[in-house]
Amino acid sequence: DGGITQSPKYLFRKEGQNVTLSCEQNLNHDAMYWYRQDPGQGLRLIYYSQIVNDFQKGDIAEGYSVSREKKESFPLTVTSAQKNPTAFYLCASSIGGSGANVLTFGAGSRLTVL
Amino acid sequence: AQKVTQAQTEISVVEKEDVTLDCVYETRDTTYYLFWYKQPPSGELVFLIRRNSFDEQNEISGRYSWNFQKSTSSFNFTITASQVVDSAVYFCALRSPIQGAQKLVFGQGTRLTINP
């Protein structure tokens, strides 16, 4: 079955460490996204990518970095510059980047900074 | 600027009751798309419906129905004869092809609890 796989599901990190969250899709979608979810704040866009080797900042990109070397993969690195990284991170993809396209989401990765 | 407001933070009802989740949106664009997603305890967001701004026809899918009213900028979601499996967080979202085509703007979400 096609879908989005995020790993790890749970991750603990010490302050000052970088951590990379994996996102892989086998839907043959061109566009991929990273969202951050905090209690009571809905989802906020971190980064998005429409095609391989191209990505754009979302609303809260500071302290995060991404790469898109393959169509199927869009890893997110949470750097030590991110002041409050504890959150639930959701990866999504869509056929294209137009407004009508439906986003398909992964199951998420919960990051806790100790 | 685009904005989605879900004023109901939490709703709790008894099984078999009908429940309506409110969604109010703001956009200056004439063309836009509205979505509802369900987030069960597992965490994955599940797509429920998409509506474009030119189609105000209400939609029914089983026990689910949606009421889209451009005059009040609302896109409300009703569950009829609720079941325990409907317990989840529900998100309303807005996307405009003109302003921020890549951005799906979410409301804060409504946590719905259906008690047996």
Side-chain angles (χ1 to χ4, degrees), chain A residues 9 33 35 37 42-43 48 50 59 90 97-103 105-106, chain B residues 33 35 37 39 42-45 47 50 91 95 101-104 106-108:
Chain A
K9 189 169 180 62
Y33 315 79
Y35 282 87
Q37 183 178 10
L43 280 71
Y48 63 92
Q50 287 184 272
D59 296 322
L90 284 155
S98 78
N101 290 327
V102 174
L103 269 64
F105 285 83
Chain B
Y33 297 87
F35 303 79
Y37 281 86
Q39 186 179 38
S42 61
E44 181 175 345
L45 267 72
F47 166 73
R50 175 188 63 199
F91 289 98
R95 198 173 186 194
Q102 305 306 322
K103 189 192 310 186
L104 189 60
F106 286 86
Q108 300 91 325

Side-chain angles (χ1 to χ4, degrees), chain B residues 83-99:
Chain B
Q83 300 177 2
V84 173
V85 293
D86 295 326
S87 296
V89 180
Y90 290 86
F91 289 98
C92 180
L94 165 71
R95 198 173 186 194
S96 166
I98 300 174
Q99 288 187 6

Side-chain angles (χ1 to χ4, degrees), chain A residues 4-11 19-24 34 75-76 89 91 106-110:
Chain A
I4 298 177
T5 301
Q6 289 187 241
S7 62
K9 189 169 180 62
Y10 298 96
L11 185 61
V19 61
T20 296
L21 307 180
S22 171
C23 177
E24 302 280 333
W34 274 105
L76 173 74
Y89 292 89
C91 179
S109 293
R110 187 169 299 280

